[in-house]
Amino acid sequence: MIDLKLLEKDFENVAKKLSLKGVDSGLLEKIKKLFEEKKELLKKIESLQAKRNTLSKEIGKFMKEGKKEEAEDLKQQVASIKKEIEELNKKLKEIDEELHKNALIIPNIPDDDVPVGKDEEDNVEIKRIGEIPKFDFEPKSHDELGEKLGWLDFQRGVKLAKSRFTVMKKDAARLERALINFFLEHNREWGFEEVWVPLMVNKETMTGTGQLPKFEEDLFKIEDEDLYMIPTAEVPLTNLFRDEIIQDLSKPIKLTAYTPCFRKEAGSYGRDTKGIIRQHQFDKVELVAITRPEDSDKMLEEMVECASSALEKLGLPYRQVMLCTGDLGFSAAKTIDLEVWIPSQNRYREISSVSNTRDFQARRAKIRYKDGKKNRLAHTLNGSSLAVGRTLVAIMENYQKADGSIEIPEALKKYL
């Protein structure tokens, strides 16, 4: 959640930055009006409190002088003022609740060094790593390869569930499991503690990391339960520390977890309908870090390096991209994407997003740490390391042979 005090204090500047992420100007004007109403209410309350205090002193004076009639008259005025203050405080509480409600649907403020742009076309490439493979034959797409080898069964996935669900068989199933183990072991070597978390979480947990209330339509809700299927392990991992004060954050808390992830993909109608690029259920290994504010920039770099190193071990060509303001996620202040080369599409596709959310999630989830005698909001970061299904796609397409077989990257052979 954004800092409402900062928004009120520096409204025009913050509003300008939020507009770069597509925030509706009408919503911001509504909040500005609420700030003004709150300010006027506080003035009235302060004035009435001063008047009440003055009258109370007069009452004491009259009582000493034996002027009971005058004192009783003032007491009635004080009682009337007290009632008026109570009514104004009630209105003040309503405004604070409305401000909080609106703040929950406002995205994070982008960092100053994030490139300005409308969508993914305006993202800025940082660098490319690895050689794009050159084939002496027409490379097939992963769905063609998967069906020919009997690895991917799309029809049975639809029969069991619906579209965007797939059954993996034979070596695809083994490779999926191998990749999960490879990523977890790789992340542990980088100092991330492995955690096993619930796949269903409550509303408060979803709100803490920013999925609710704004993105409920993209979540799978359990009927008649206060439970949602997680869209990413970022949600339970970050919320492990919700409503807590971390006593020692001199070293960042670094966590990794494998989970299946569940998304309705509500806004992706017609996109990536073939294959397993965009599924309702997919596997992912996640990185999460909780740091002091002064350590979060360095941690972002470390998490990008960690995820990049995994791709390099697998021998997959990829590039690093800084997202522009219009393509940033809701909670992110800055994001570096890793995009892997997909030969059949002749383009790079996102395989990881590593984001610094600053204190945005920590403010929502009340994640604090002890800094001397003060409690301060922590910074939280998250990133894919990596999306397992998309890594499988990249391996199938980049390591394919003319006869339709697929070579296994050296780094995975010990898992198979």
PDB file of all heavy atoms in Angstrom, residues 383-416:
ATOM      1  N   GLY A 383      10.782 -12.899  -6.937  1.00  0.00           N
ATOM      2  CA  GLY A 383      11.147 -13.200  -8.313  1.00  0.00           C
ATOM      3  C   GLY A 383      11.011 -14.675  -8.625  1.00  0.00           C
ATOM      4  O   GLY A 383      11.142 -15.528  -7.752  1.00  0.00           O
ATOM      5  N   SER A 384      10.748 -14.985  -9.890  1.00  0.00           N
ATOM      6  CA  SER A 384      10.671 -16.372 -10.340  1.00  0.00           C
ATOM      7  C   SER A 384      12.082 -16.907 -10.553  1.00  0.00           C
ATOM      8  O   SER A 384      12.910 -16.244 -11.157  1.00  0.00           O
ATOM      9  CB  SER A 384       9.914 -16.462 -11.665  1.00  0.00           C
ATOM     10  OG  SER A 384       8.757 -15.674 -11.629  1.00  0.00           O
ATOM     11  N   SER A 385      12.283 -18.127 -10.073  1.00  0.00           N
ATOM     12  CA  SER A 385      13.589 -18.759 -10.307  1.00  0.00           C
ATOM     13  C   SER A 385      13.430 -20.269 -10.429  1.00  0.00           C
ATOM     14  O   SER A 385      13.925 -21.025  -9.607  1.00  0.00           O
ATOM     15  CB  SER A 385      14.557 -18.432  -9.175  1.00  0.00           C
ATOM     16  OG  SER A 385      15.798 -19.048  -9.393  1.00  0.00           O
ATOM     17  N   LEU A 386      12.792 -20.696 -11.413  1.00  0.00           N
ATOM     18  CA  LEU A 386      12.155 -19.987 -12.541  1.00  0.00           C
ATOM     19  C   LEU A 386      10.764 -20.560 -12.764  1.00  0.00           C
ATOM     20  O   LEU A 386      10.366 -21.487 -12.042  1.00  0.00           O
ATOM     21  CB  LEU A 386      12.990 -20.174 -13.826  1.00  0.00           C
ATOM     22  CG  LEU A 386      14.380 -19.558 -13.844  1.00  0.00           C
ATOM     23  CD1 LEU A 386      15.246 -20.219 -14.885  1.00  0.00           C
ATOM     24  CD2 LEU A 386      14.299 -18.067 -14.100  1.00  0.00           C
ATOM     25  N   ALA A 387      10.069 -20.046 -13.778  1.00  0.00           N
ATOM     26  CA  ALA A 387       8.817 -20.672 -14.195  1.00  0.00           C
ATOM     27  C   ALA A 387       9.170 -21.995 -14.863  1.00  0.00           C
ATOM     28  O   ALA A 387       9.815 -22.029 -15.909  1.00  0.00           O
ATOM     29  CB  ALA A 387       8.074 -19.750 -15.161  1.00  0.00           C
ATOM     30  N   VAL A 388       8.773 -23.098 -14.235  1.00  0.00           N
ATOM     31  CA  VAL A 388       9.268 -24.421 -14.651  1.00  0.00           C
ATOM     32  C   VAL A 388       8.747 -24.803 -16.028  1.00  0.00           C
ATOM     33  O   VAL A 388       9.511 -25.268 -16.887  1.00  0.00           O
ATOM     34  CB  VAL A 388       8.879 -25.491 -13.606  1.00  0.00           C
ATOM     35  CG1 VAL A 388       9.429 -26.857 -14.017  1.00  0.00           C
ATOM     36  CG2 VAL A 388       9.402 -25.110 -12.228  1.00  0.00           C
ATOM     37  N   GLY A 389       7.448 -24.627 -16.260  1.00  0.00           N
ATOM     38  CA  GLY A 389       6.883 -25.008 -17.549  1.00  0.00           C
ATOM     39  C   GLY A 389       7.504 -24.255 -18.713  1.00  0.00           C
ATOM     40  O   GLY A 389       7.779 -24.836 -19.766  1.00  0.00           O
ATOM     41  N   ARG A 390       7.740 -22.970 -18.526  1.00  0.00           N
ATOM     42  CA  ARG A 390       8.353 -22.185 -19.611  1.00  0.00           C
ATOM     43  C   ARG A 390       9.813 -22.580 -19.831  1.00  0.00           C
ATOM     44  O   ARG A 390      10.325 -22.503 -20.946  1.00  0.00           O
ATOM     45  CB  ARG A 390       8.227 -20.688 -19.312  1.00  0.00           C
ATOM     46  CG  ARG A 390       6.792 -20.189 -19.386  1.00  0.00           C
ATOM     47  CD  ARG A 390       6.680 -18.675 -19.442  1.00  0.00           C
ATOM     48  NE  ARG A 390       5.282 -18.274 -19.589  1.00  0.00           N
ATOM     49  CZ  ARG A 390       4.887 -17.063 -19.955  1.00  0.00           C
ATOM     50  NH1 ARG A 390       5.791 -16.126 -20.213  1.00  0.00           N
ATOM     51  NH2 ARG A 390       3.604 -16.771 -20.055  1.00  0.00           N
ATOM     52  N   THR A 391      10.477 -23.012 -18.759  1.00  0.00           N
ATOM     53  CA  THR A 391      11.843 -23.513 -18.920  1.00  0.00           C
ATOM     54  C   THR A 391      11.831 -24.806 -19.715  1.00  0.00           C
ATOM     55  O   THR A 391      12.693 -25.036 -20.574  1.00  0.00           O
ATOM     56  CB  THR A 391      12.505 -23.747 -17.551  1.00  0.00           C
ATOM     57  OG1 THR A 391      12.374 -22.573 -16.740  1.00  0.00           O
ATOM     58  CG2 THR A 391      13.982 -24.067 -17.715  1.00  0.00           C
ATOM     59  N   LEU A 392      10.845 -25.652 -19.436  1.00  0.00           N
ATOM     60  CA  LEU A 392      10.700 -26.892 -20.199  1.00  0.00           C
ATOM     61  C   LEU A 392      10.461 -26.583 -21.675  1.00  0.00           C
ATOM     62  O   LEU A 392      11.056 -27.217 -22.557  1.00  0.00           O
ATOM     63  CB  LEU A 392       9.529 -27.702 -19.627  1.00  0.00           C
ATOM     64  CG  LEU A 392       9.184 -29.018 -20.342  1.00  0.00           C
ATOM     65  CD1 LEU A 392      10.350 -29.995 -20.284  1.00  0.00           C
ATOM     66  CD2 LEU A 392       7.937 -29.644 -19.739  1.00  0.00           C
ATOM     67  N   VAL A 393       9.633 -25.612 -21.956  1.00  0.00           N
ATOM     68  CA  VAL A 393       9.380 -25.181 -23.336  1.00  0.00           C
ATOM     69  C   VAL A 393      10.684 -24.750 -23.998  1.00  0.00           C
ATOM     70  O   VAL A 393      10.993 -25.151 -25.135  1.00  0.00           O
ATOM     71  CB  VAL A 393       8.368 -24.020 -23.369  1.00  0.00           C
ATOM     72  CG1 VAL A 393       8.337 -23.359 -24.752  1.00  0.00           C
ATOM     73  CG2 VAL A 393       6.981 -24.510 -22.987  1.00  0.00           C
ATOM     74  N   ALA A 394      11.464 -23.937 -23.291  1.00  0.00           N
ATOM     75  CA  ALA A 394      12.719 -23.424 -23.847  1.00  0.00           C
ATOM     76  C   ALA A 394      13.711 -24.552 -24.120  1.00  0.00           C
ATOM     77  O   ALA A 394      14.420 -24.542 -25.135  1.00  0.00           O
ATOM     78  CB  ALA A 394      13.330 -22.402 -22.889  1.00  0.00           C
ATOM     79  N   ILE A 395      13.776 -25.521 -23.227  1.00  0.00           N
ATOM     80  CA  ILE A 395      14.685 -26.665 -23.427  1.00  0.00           C
ATOM     81  C   ILE A 395      14.237 -27.476 -24.638  1.00  0.00           C
ATOM     82  O   ILE A 395      15.053 -27.840 -25.502  1.00  0.00           O
ATOM     83  CB  ILE A 395      14.732 -27.548 -22.158  1.00  0.00           C
ATOM     84  CG1 ILE A 395      15.489 -26.818 -21.046  1.00  0.00           C
ATOM     85  CG2 ILE A 395      15.385 -28.899 -22.458  1.00  0.00           C
ATOM     86  CD1 ILE A 395      15.418 -27.505 -19.701  1.00  0.00           C
ATOM     87  N   MET A 396      12.953 -27.785 -24.715  1.00  0.00           N
ATOM     88  CA  MET A 396      12.438 -28.573 -25.837  1.00  0.00           C
ATOM     89  C   MET A 396      12.758 -27.907 -27.169  1.00  0.00           C
ATOM     90  O   MET A 396      13.174 -28.580 -28.126  1.00  0.00           O
ATOM     91  CB  MET A 396      10.928 -28.772 -25.690  1.00  0.00           C
ATOM     92  CG  MET A 396      10.528 -29.689 -24.536  1.00  0.00           C
ATOM     93  SD  MET A 396       8.721 -29.772 -24.289  1.00  0.00           S
ATOM     94  CE  MET A 396       8.226 -30.668 -25.771  1.00  0.00           C
ATOM     95  N   GLU A 397      12.571 -26.607 -27.251  1.00  0.00           N
ATOM     96  CA  GLU A 397      12.747 -25.931 -28.543  1.00  0.00           C
ATOM     97  C   GLU A 397      14.202 -25.632 -28.866  1.00  0.00           C
ATOM     98  O   GLU A 397      14.625 -25.741 -30.018  1.00  0.00           O
ATOM     99  CB  GLU A 397      11.906 -24.659 -28.572  1.00  0.00           C
ATOM    100  CG  GLU A 397      10.407 -24.932 -28.518  1.00  0.00           C
ATOM    101  CD  GLU A 397       9.574 -23.814 -29.111  1.00  0.00           C
ATOM    102  OE1 GLU A 397      10.150 -22.919 -29.779  1.00  0.00           O
ATOM    103  OE2 GLU A 397       8.345 -23.830 -28.917  1.00  0.00           O
ATOM    104  N   ASN A 398      14.999 -25.239 -27.864  1.00  0.00           N
ATOM    105  CA  ASN A 398      16.388 -24.896 -28.138  1.00  0.00           C
ATOM    106  C   ASN A 398      17.297 -26.112 -28.272  1.00  0.00           C
ATOM    107  O   ASN A 398      18.354 -26.032 -28.914  1.00  0.00           O
ATOM    108  CB  ASN A 398      16.929 -23.980 -27.028  1.00  0.00           C
ATOM    109  CG  ASN A 398      16.428 -22.548 -27.149  1.00  0.00           C
ATOM    110  OD1 ASN A 398      16.934 -21.766 -27.944  1.00  0.00           O
ATOM    111  ND2 ASN A 398      15.411 -22.215 -26.352  1.00  0.00           N
ATOM    112  N   TYR A 399      16.892 -27.221 -27.667  1.00  0.00           N
ATOM    113  CA  TYR A 399      17.724 -28.436 -27.695  1.00  0.00           C
ATOM    114  C   TYR A 399      17.169 -29.503 -28.640  1.00  0.00           C
ATOM    115  O   TYR A 399      17.593 -30.658 -28.589  1.00  0.00           O
ATOM    116  CB  TYR A 399      17.843 -29.015 -26.280  1.00  0.00           C
ATOM    117  CG  TYR A 399      18.869 -28.323 -25.412  1.00  0.00           C
ATOM    118  CD1 TYR A 399      18.517 -27.239 -24.621  1.00  0.00           C
ATOM    119  CD2 TYR A 399      20.203 -28.749 -25.381  1.00  0.00           C
ATOM    120  CE1 TYR A 399      19.453 -26.597 -23.804  1.00  0.00           C
ATOM    121  CE2 TYR A 399      21.143 -28.119 -24.584  1.00  0.00           C
ATOM    122  CZ  TYR A 399      20.758 -27.042 -23.795  1.00  0.00           C
ATOM    123  OH  TYR A 399      21.700 -26.411 -22.996  1.00  0.00           O
ATOM    124  N   GLN A 400      16.233 -29.153 -29.502  1.00  0.00           N
ATOM    125  CA  GLN A 400      15.662 -30.141 -30.419  1.00  0.00           C
ATOM    126  C   GLN A 400      16.638 -30.514 -31.523  1.00  0.00           C
ATOM    127  O   GLN A 400      17.496 -29.725 -31.932  1.00  0.00           O
ATOM    128  CB  GLN A 400      14.363 -29.614 -31.021  1.00  0.00           C
ATOM    129  CG  GLN A 400      14.503 -28.373 -31.882  1.00  0.00           C
ATOM    130  CD  GLN A 400      13.173 -27.911 -32.442  1.00  0.00           C
ATOM    131  OE1 GLN A 400      12.546 -28.608 -33.256  1.00  0.00           O
ATOM    132  NE2 GLN A 400      12.717 -26.731 -32.000  1.00  0.00           N
ATOM    133  N   LYS A 401      16.484 -31.753 -32.008  1.00  0.00           N
ATOM    134  CA  LYS A 401      17.296 -32.277 -33.108  1.00  0.00           C
ATOM    135  C   LYS A 401      16.423 -32.461 -34.348  1.00  0.00           C
ATOM    136  O   LYS A 401      15.193 -32.447 -34.272  1.00  0.00           O
ATOM    137  CB  LYS A 401      17.936 -33.610 -32.706  1.00  0.00           C
ATOM    138  CG  LYS A 401      18.838 -33.520 -31.475  1.00  0.00           C
ATOM    139  CD  LYS A 401      19.989 -32.552 -31.700  1.00  0.00           C
ATOM    140  CE  LYS A 401      20.890 -32.454 -30.479  1.00  0.00           C
ATOM    141  NZ  LYS A 401      21.963 -31.439 -30.662  1.00  0.00           N
ATOM    142  N   ALA A 402      17.075 -32.671 -35.470  1.00  0.00           N
ATOM    143  CA  ALA A 402      16.365 -32.785 -36.746  1.00  0.00           C
ATOM    144  C   ALA A 402      15.379 -33.947 -36.752  1.00  0.00           C
ATOM    145  O   ALA A 402      14.339 -33.888 -37.414  1.00  0.00           O
ATOM    146  CB  ALA A 402      17.370 -32.943 -37.896  1.00  0.00           C
ATOM    147  N   ASP A 403      15.701 -35.024 -36.006  1.00  0.00           N
ATOM    148  CA  ASP A 403      14.823 -36.193 -35.990  1.00  0.00           C
ATOM    149  C   ASP A 403      13.670 -36.060 -34.987  1.00  0.00           C
ATOM    150  O   ASP A 403      12.897 -37.003 -34.795  1.00  0.00           O
ATOM    151  CB  ASP A 403      15.620 -37.465 -35.688  1.00  0.00           C
ATOM    152  CG  ASP A 403      16.294 -37.428 -34.311  1.00  0.00           C
ATOM    153  OD1 ASP A 403      16.132 -36.424 -33.580  1.00  0.00           O
ATOM    154  OD2 ASP A 403      16.986 -38.411 -33.959  1.00  0.00           O
ATOM    155  N   GLY A 404      13.561 -34.887 -34.333  1.00  0.00           N
ATOM    156  CA  GLY A 404      12.473 -34.666 -33.383  1.00  0.00           C
ATOM    157  C   GLY A 404      12.808 -35.045 -31.957  1.00  0.00           C
ATOM    158  O   GLY A 404      11.996 -34.848 -31.051  1.00  0.00           O
ATOM    159  N   SER A 405      14.006 -35.570 -31.751  1.00  0.00           N
ATOM    160  CA  SER A 405      14.424 -35.888 -30.384  1.00  0.00           C
ATOM    161  C   SER A 405      14.915 -34.621 -29.689  1.00  0.00           C
ATOM    162  O   SER A 405      15.136 -33.593 -30.328  1.00  0.00           O
ATOM    163  CB  SER A 405      15.537 -36.943 -30.392  1.00  0.00           C
ATOM    164  OG  SER A 405      16.684 -36.422 -31.050  1.00  0.00           O
ATOM    165  N   ILE A 406      15.113 -34.706 -28.373  1.00  0.00           N
ATOM    166  CA  ILE A 406      15.518 -33.532 -27.593  1.00  0.00           C
ATOM    167  C   ILE A 406      16.693 -33.893 -26.704  1.00  0.00           C
ATOM    168  O   ILE A 406      16.646 -34.859 -25.939  1.00  0.00           O
ATOM    169  CB  ILE A 406      14.342 -33.012 -26.731  1.00  0.00           C
ATOM    170  CG1 ILE A 406      13.200 -32.527 -27.652  1.00  0.00           C
ATOM    171  CG2 ILE A 406      14.788 -31.880 -25.814  1.00  0.00           C
ATOM    172  CD1 ILE A 406      11.899 -32.285 -26.947  1.00  0.00           C
ATOM    173  N   GLU A 407      17.738 -33.108 -26.815  1.00  0.00           N
ATOM    174  CA  GLU A 407      18.921 -33.309 -25.981  1.00  0.00           C
ATOM    175  C   GLU A 407      18.639 -32.778 -24.570  1.00  0.00           C
ATOM    176  O   GLU A 407      17.874 -31.816 -24.411  1.00  0.00           O
ATOM    177  CB  GLU A 407      20.111 -32.560 -26.593  1.00  0.00           C
ATOM    178  CG  GLU A 407      21.434 -32.816 -25.886  1.00  0.00           C
ATOM    179  CD  GLU A 407      22.574 -32.019 -26.508  1.00  0.00           C
ATOM    180  OE1 GLU A 407      22.405 -31.518 -27.639  1.00  0.00           O
ATOM    181  OE2 GLU A 407      23.619 -31.892 -25.848  1.00  0.00           O
ATOM    182  N   ILE A 408      19.255 -33.387 -23.575  1.00  0.00           N
ATOM    183  CA  ILE A 408      19.068 -32.958 -22.199  1.00  0.00           C
ATOM    184  C   ILE A 408      20.261 -32.091 -21.777  1.00  0.00           C
ATOM    185  O   ILE A 408      21.413 -32.507 -21.944  1.00  0.00           O
ATOM    186  CB  ILE A 408      18.944 -34.168 -21.240  1.00  0.00           C
ATOM    187  CG1 ILE A 408      17.789 -35.064 -21.669  1.00  0.00           C
ATOM    188  CG2 ILE A 408      18.751 -33.690 -19.795  1.00  0.00           C
ATOM    189  CD1 ILE A 408      16.442 -34.397 -21.691  1.00  0.00           C
ATOM    190  N   PRO A 409      20.034 -30.889 -21.241  1.00  0.00           N
ATOM    191  CA  PRO A 409      21.143 -30.065 -20.768  1.00  0.00           C
ATOM    192  C   PRO A 409      21.984 -30.815 -19.740  1.00  0.00           C
ATOM    193  O   PRO A 409      21.457 -31.552 -18.898  1.00  0.00           O
ATOM    194  CB  PRO A 409      20.442 -28.850 -20.134  1.00  0.00           C
ATOM    195  CG  PRO A 409      19.115 -28.789 -20.810  1.00  0.00           C
ATOM    196  CD  PRO A 409      18.738 -30.208 -21.087  1.00  0.00           C
ATOM    197  N   GLU A 410      23.280 -30.591 -19.793  1.00  0.00           N
ATOM    198  CA  GLU A 410      24.211 -31.295 -18.900  1.00  0.00           C
ATOM    199  C   GLU A 410      23.839 -31.099 -17.426  1.00  0.00           C
ATOM    200  O   GLU A 410      23.960 -32.029 -16.618  1.00  0.00           O
ATOM    201  CB  GLU A 410      25.625 -30.785 -19.165  1.00  0.00           C
ATOM    202  CG  GLU A 410      26.730 -31.625 -18.523  1.00  0.00           C
ATOM    203  CD  GLU A 410      26.806 -33.037 -19.121  1.00  0.00           C
ATOM    204  OE1 GLU A 410      26.580 -33.195 -20.336  1.00  0.00           O
ATOM    205  OE2 GLU A 410      27.092 -33.963 -18.344  1.00  0.00           O
ATOM    206  N   ALA A 411      23.412 -29.906 -17.065  1.00  0.00           N
ATOM    207  CA  ALA A 411      23.115 -29.600 -15.665  1.00  0.00           C
ATOM    208  C   ALA A 411      21.968 -30.444 -15.104  1.00  0.00           C
ATOM    209  O   ALA A 411      21.839 -30.586 -13.883  1.00  0.00           O
ATOM    210  CB  ALA A 411      22.771 -28.109 -15.525  1.00  0.00           C
ATOM    211  N   LEU A 412      21.110 -30.993 -15.974  1.00  0.00           N
ATOM    212  CA  LEU A 412      19.963 -31.778 -15.510  1.00  0.00           C
ATOM    213  C   LEU A 412      20.214 -33.267 -15.462  1.00  0.00           C
ATOM    214  O   LEU A 412      19.399 -34.012 -14.904  1.00  0.00           O
ATOM    215  CB  LEU A 412      18.748 -31.481 -16.398  1.00  0.00           C
ATOM    216  CG  LEU A 412      18.187 -30.061 -16.379  1.00  0.00           C
ATOM    217  CD1 LEU A 412      16.988 -29.960 -17.331  1.00  0.00           C
ATOM    218  CD2 LEU A 412      17.769 -29.659 -14.976  1.00  0.00           C
ATOM    219  N   LYS A 413      21.309 -33.735 -16.039  1.00  0.00           N
ATOM    220  CA  LYS A 413      21.492 -35.186 -16.207  1.00  0.00           C
ATOM    221  C   LYS A 413      21.574 -35.937 -14.894  1.00  0.00           C
ATOM    222  O   LYS A 413      21.124 -37.072 -14.793  1.00  0.00           O
ATOM    223  CB  LYS A 413      22.728 -35.454 -17.071  1.00  0.00           C
ATOM    224  CG  LYS A 413      22.506 -35.057 -18.528  1.00  0.00           C
ATOM    225  CD  LYS A 413      23.684 -35.386 -19.418  1.00  0.00           C
ATOM    226  CE  LYS A 413      23.358 -35.032 -20.870  1.00  0.00           C
ATOM    227  NZ  LYS A 413      24.495 -35.272 -21.776  1.00  0.00           N
ATOM    228  N   LYS A 414      22.104 -35.291 -13.838  1.00  0.00           N
ATOM    229  CA  LYS A 414      22.206 -35.994 -12.555  1.00  0.00           C
ATOM    230  C   LYS A 414      20.843 -36.177 -11.892  1.00  0.00           C
ATOM    231  O   LYS A 414      20.714 -36.960 -10.963  1.00  0.00           O
ATOM    232  CB  LYS A 414      23.155 -35.253 -11.619  1.00  0.00           C
ATOM    233  CG  LYS A 414      22.651 -33.917 -11.088  1.00  0.00           C
ATOM    234  CD  LYS A 414      23.644 -33.362 -10.083  1.00  0.00           C
ATOM    235  CE  LYS A 414      23.164 -32.043  -9.475  1.00  0.00           C
ATOM    236  NZ  LYS A 414      24.096 -31.538  -8.440  1.00  0.00           N
ATOM    237  N   TYR A 415      19.825 -35.460 -12.382  1.00  0.00           N
ATOM    238  CA  TYR A 415      18.478 -35.590 -11.802  1.00  0.00           C
ATOM    239  C   TYR A 415      17.627 -36.615 -12.564  1.00  0.00           C
ATOM    240  O   TYR A 415      16.519 -36.915 -12.170  1.00  0.00           O
ATOM    241  CB  TYR A 415      17.759 -34.249 -11.830  1.00  0.00           C
ATOM    242  CG  TYR A 415      18.465 -33.169 -11.036  1.00  0.00           C
ATOM    243  CD1 TYR A 415      19.270 -32.228 -11.662  1.00  0.00           C
ATOM    244  CD2 TYR A 415      18.320 -33.090  -9.651  1.00  0.00           C
ATOM    245  CE1 TYR A 415      19.915 -31.236 -10.931  1.00  0.00           C
ATOM    246  CE2 TYR A 415      18.965 -32.108  -8.919  1.00  0.00           C
ATOM    247  CZ  TYR A 415      19.759 -31.181  -9.574  1.00  0.00           C
ATOM    248  OH  TYR A 415      20.401 -30.211  -8.842  1.00  0.00           O
ATOM    249  N   LEU A 416      18.164 -37.143 -13.669  1.00  0.00           N
ATOM    250  CA  LEU A 416      17.381 -38.047 -14.514  1.00  0.00           C
ATOM    251  C   LEU A 416      18.011 -39.433 -14.540  1.00  0.00           C
ATOM    252  O   LEU A 416      19.180 -39.561 -14.882  1.00  0.00           O
ATOM    253  CB  LEU A 416      17.300 -37.481 -15.943  1.00  0.00           C
ATOM    254  CG  LEU A 416      16.518 -36.184 -16.073  1.00  0.00           C
ATOM    255  CD1 LEU A 416      16.769 -35.530 -17.421  1.00  0.00           C
ATOM    256  CD2 LEU A 416      15.032 -36.450 -15.921  1.00  0.00           C
TER     257      LEU A 416
END
